[in-house]
């Protein structure tokens, strides 16, 4: 199959692209800054500006839409404005434009939309609402679709924890439990979803363990050789329940790499040889 990937330069996308190639798919990536990866066809485009979408979708059999614009994820922490607004350009307008181009081409057999577990419990967050709007657009499309969802990725958890650990006072809600996941494993699941011929809402993809946030932080600190006291953040119970919901599903598909293993692996990868 010829597959268009959006977000092919992101954490998920950079593993997704070779995963698709290994299964024999021809891959085209729509990106703001095309790269020179061998065997990949690059199309310059910007989903927030609607640029390159028609060229990118022409002649493809499938689209995996993994691009997103989350300012909080990019900086590794929330600012007050993230609780009031979130950009719609990539996640909503970009999804709409991709679906319209796919409908127009008449050749796209499968639109695989990448989303997040538990969004329905966190509707107060503007980014969450953007992701839900995008899912609605996908469900309303005439192009055959799948929606694949994962819990929070380890890379994002590490980025957020690193930022928090750099602050004077370290506090986390004690009763929020999460099952973060290795995005490399999720990439493999997405390739399976493209290839297995099924369509529609897919199983949630979650990490192998459900751990409370302070436990996750303790493992992070230990792996990075830091010692800190973790205080209890006074977050309302209903907010903690909303953050936890979705992470504890029994039905979900589970990755196998634990947080601890991922932290050890990334610490090893970051160590210069011979050090
Ligand atoms: N991160 C998580 O914890 C998590 C958890 C579950 C599901 N997900 C979902 O998984 C997907 C991938 O997430 P990720 O963590 O891999 O994200 P990421 O690393 O932040 O990558 C985002 C991707 O979107 C691209 N992008 C941003 N703005 C764009 C624009 N205007 N036009 C075209 N492309 C644009 C980026 O390209 P540039 O290289 O040009 O910036 C990059 O390739 C998203 O749908 C996300 O919602 C994420």
């Amino acid at each position: 199959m010829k597959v268009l990937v959006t977000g092919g330069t992101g954490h998920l996308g950079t593993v997704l692209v070779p995963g698709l190639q290994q299964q024999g798919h021809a891959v085209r990536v729509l990106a703001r800054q095309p790269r020179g990866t061998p065997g990949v066809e690059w199309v310059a485009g910007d989903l927030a500006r609607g640029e390159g979408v028609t060229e990118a979708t022409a002649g493809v059999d499938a689209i995996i839409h993994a691009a997103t614009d989350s300012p909080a994820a990019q900086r590794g922490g929330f600012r007050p404005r993230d609780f009031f607004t979130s950009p719609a350009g990539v996640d909503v307008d970009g999804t709409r434009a991709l679906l319209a181009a796919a409908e127009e081409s008449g050749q796209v057999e499968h639109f695989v939309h990448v989303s997040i577990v538990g969004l329905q419990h966190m509707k107060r967050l503007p980014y969450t609402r953007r992701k839900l709007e995008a899912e609605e657009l996908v469900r309303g499309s005439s192009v055959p679709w799948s929606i694949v969802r994962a819990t929070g990725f380890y890379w994002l958890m590490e980025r957020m924890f690193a930022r928090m650990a750099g602050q004077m006072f370290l506090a986390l809600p004690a009763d929020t439990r999460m099952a973060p996941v290795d995005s490399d494993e999720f990439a493999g699941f997405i390739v399976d979803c493209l290839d297995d011929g099924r369509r529609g809402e897919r199983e949630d993809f979650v990490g192998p363990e459900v751990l409370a946030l302070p436990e996750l932080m303790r493992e992070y600190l230990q792996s990075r050789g830091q010692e800190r006291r973790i205080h209890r953040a006074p977050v309302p119970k209903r907010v903690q329940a909303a953050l936890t919901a979705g992470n504890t599903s029994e039905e979900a598909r589970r990755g196998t790499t634990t947080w601890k293993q991922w932290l050890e692996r990334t610490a090893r990868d970051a160590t210069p040889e011979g050090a």
Side-chain angles (χ1 to χ4, degrees), residues 6-14 29-35 45-51 65-70 73-74 89-91 113-117 119 127 131 148-157 159 181 183 186 190 205:
T6 73
T9 55
H11 289 83
L12 178 68
T14 45
V29 175
L30 176 147
R32 291 185 288 187
Q33 285 161 335
R35 298 178 186 176
D46 186 326
L47 288 171
R49 295 165 179 264
E51 291 167 2
H65 180 28
T68 191
D69 184 7
S70 164
Q74 282 151 30
V90 175
D91 291 275
H113 182 73
V114 182
S115 195
I116 305 174
V117 167
L119 292 172
Y127 175 69
K131 295 291 294 184
V148 289
R149 301 182 186 84
T151 45
F153 295 159
Y154 288 150
W155 77 260
L156 180 57
M157 182 138 282
R159 185 173 284 184
V181 74
S183 46
F186 182 44
I190 296 174
F205 196 81

Side-chain angles (χ1 to χ4, degrees), residues 1-5 28 53-65 97-113 141-146 194 199:
M1 253 195 272
K2 183 156 190 165
V3 186
L4 168 67
V5 177
R28 180 186 288 167
V53 175
T54 309
E55 299 85 316
T57 45
V60 299
D61 308 300
I63 298 175
I64 303 181
H65 180 28
L98 281 168
L99 289 166
E103 282 172 10
E104 183 69 28
S105 100
Q107 195 185 322
V108 178
E109 298 162 19
H110 201 171
F111 187 98
V112 181
H113 182 73
S141 167
S142 61
V143 180
W145 54 266
S146 293
L194 180 76
R199 303 285 188 274

Side-chain angles (χ1 to χ4, degrees), residues 178-199:
M178 297 207 155
V181 74
D182 184 350
S183 46
D184 295 7
E185 292 183 335
F186 182 44
F189 175 71
I190 296 174
V191 176
D192 291 348
C193 288
L194 180 76
D195 289 339
D196 70 10
R198 290 168 50 208
R199 303 285 188 274

